[in-house]
């Protein structure tokens, strides 16, 4: 491993993509008529954290973005520059948490693209500004990248990270805080939704 320090290669396009994702979450929250506190009741954070995400004071984790999107019927997706969805796994593995499945769904098209381009993890790491080990951990879904890192990772492969609405089947009502409180223990597992 190289002893020189690495700096994530964030450009203005990556910053705009991240800001667009945060704005989309805020707009969805407002369109749903939810306060920051009401939305946070269904998440492992307080309303203040949502306020800080929306104002840019702090960056949410990838899992927080996934969870927040899920509460608002939005899903992070990998798209080509043409806006078309990239192929990703659509089935949750037995025993796999919803959040882990979502991270795997975001990592798979990026790993496949890197391999198709004949690029090593080290070469991609150099482009992104991270170590080969970081790329490996992201691809194996062992450690989630920061959202801005995920955006740069996708960018360097000619892809983008975006939010898209999901179809929520009629048999599965929206689950916000009131639904969670009423559900028996262990009943908070999510199922993947279809775009």
């Amino acid at each position: 491993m190289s002893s020189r320090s690495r700096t994530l290669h964030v450009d203005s396009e990556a910053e705009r993509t991240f800001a667009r994702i945060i704005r989309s979450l805020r707009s969805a929250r407002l369109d749903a008529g939810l306060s920051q506190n009401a939305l946070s009741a269904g998440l492992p954070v307080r309303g203040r954290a949502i306020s800080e995400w929306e104002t840019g004071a702090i960056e949410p984790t990838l899992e927080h973005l996934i969870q927040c999107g899920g509460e608002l019927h939005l899903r992070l997706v990998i798209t080509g520059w043409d806006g078309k969805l990239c192929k990703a796994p659509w089935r949750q593995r037995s025993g796999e948490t919803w959040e882990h499945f979502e991270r795997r769904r975001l990592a798979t098209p990026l790993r496949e693209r890197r391999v198709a381009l004949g690029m090593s993890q080290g070469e991609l790491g150099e482009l992104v500004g991270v170590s080969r080990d970081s790329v490996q951990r992201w691809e194996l879904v062992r450690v989630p990248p920061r959202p801005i890192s995920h955006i740069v990772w996708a960018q360097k492969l000619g892809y983008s990270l975006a939010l898209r609405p999901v179809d929520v089947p009629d048999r599965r009502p929206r689950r916000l805080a009131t639904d969670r409180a009423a559900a028996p223990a262990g009943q908070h597992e999510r199922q993947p939704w279809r775009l």
Side-chain angles (χ1 to χ4, degrees):
M1 184 159 91
S2 173
S3 61
R4 66 183 178 171
S5 68
R6 304 202 184 232
T7 303
L8 186 67
H9 300 162
V10 179
D11 62 14
S12 60
E13 180 59 33
E15 290 173 345
R16 283 192 298 273
T17 299
F18 181 68
R20 190 168 37 250
I21 289 169
I22 298 299
R23 278 194 314 272
S24 295
L25 288 171
R26 182 179 185 275
S27 293
R29 177 183 65 75
L30 293 172
D31 289 347
L34 295 172
S35 69
Q36 293 165 339
N37 285 334
L39 177 58
S40 72
L43 301 170
V45 298
R46 294 187 172 165
R48 180 178 177 101
I50 294 172
S51 171
E52 291 174 334
W53 299 343
E54 291 180 355
T55 62
I58 61 170
E59 182 182 317
T61 66
L62 185 62
E63 293 224 354
H64 287 150
L65 283 182
I66 290 168
Q67 293 164 347
C68 188
E71 290 296 321
L72 295 167
H73 298 197
L74 296 170
R75 186 179 222 181
L76 286 169
V77 295
I78 301 294
T79 65
W81 290 112
D82 57 2
K84 291 183 181 177
L85 293 177
C86 295
K87 181 183 165 198
W90 291 106
R91 294 183 190 242
Q92 193 170 348
R93 295 175 180 156
S94 177
E96 184 178 38
T97 66
W98 177 74
E99 288 84 359
H100 190 273
F101 168 73
E102 288 295 299
R103 287 180 25 223
R104 183 169 58 88
R105 192 182 53 72
L106 293 170
T108 299
L110 299 180
R111 182 187 69 241
E112 290 174 354
R113 174 75 169 166
R114 177 189 59 77
V115 170
L117 291 172
M119 187 183 298
S120 72
Q121 291 172 332
E123 291 168 328
L124 179 58
E126 287 289 328
L127 290 174
V128 174
V130 297
S131 69
R132 181 202 64 82
D133 291 343
S134 291
V135 172
Q136 182 181 47
R137 286 190 295 265
W138 295 349
E139 288 184 350
L140 294 173
V141 196
R142 291 191 178 143
V143 175
R146 292 176 35 222
I148 194 70
S149 300
H150 213 301
I151 291 166
V152 173
W153 177 21
Q155 237 184 10
K156 297 304 179 183
L157 293 168
Y159 287 163
S160 187
L161 189 65
L163 268 179
R164 295 280 174 87
V166 293
D167 283 334
V168 180
D170 291 338
R171 70 190 187 313
R172 184 169 181 264
R174 185 174 188 166
R175 290 172 49 182
L176 289 173
T178 54
D179 298 326
R180 288 176 184 264
Q187 295 295 314
H188 298 303
E189 291 298 314
R190 298 173 188 249
Q191 296 300 318
W193 298 321
R194 302 215 42 97
L195 290 173

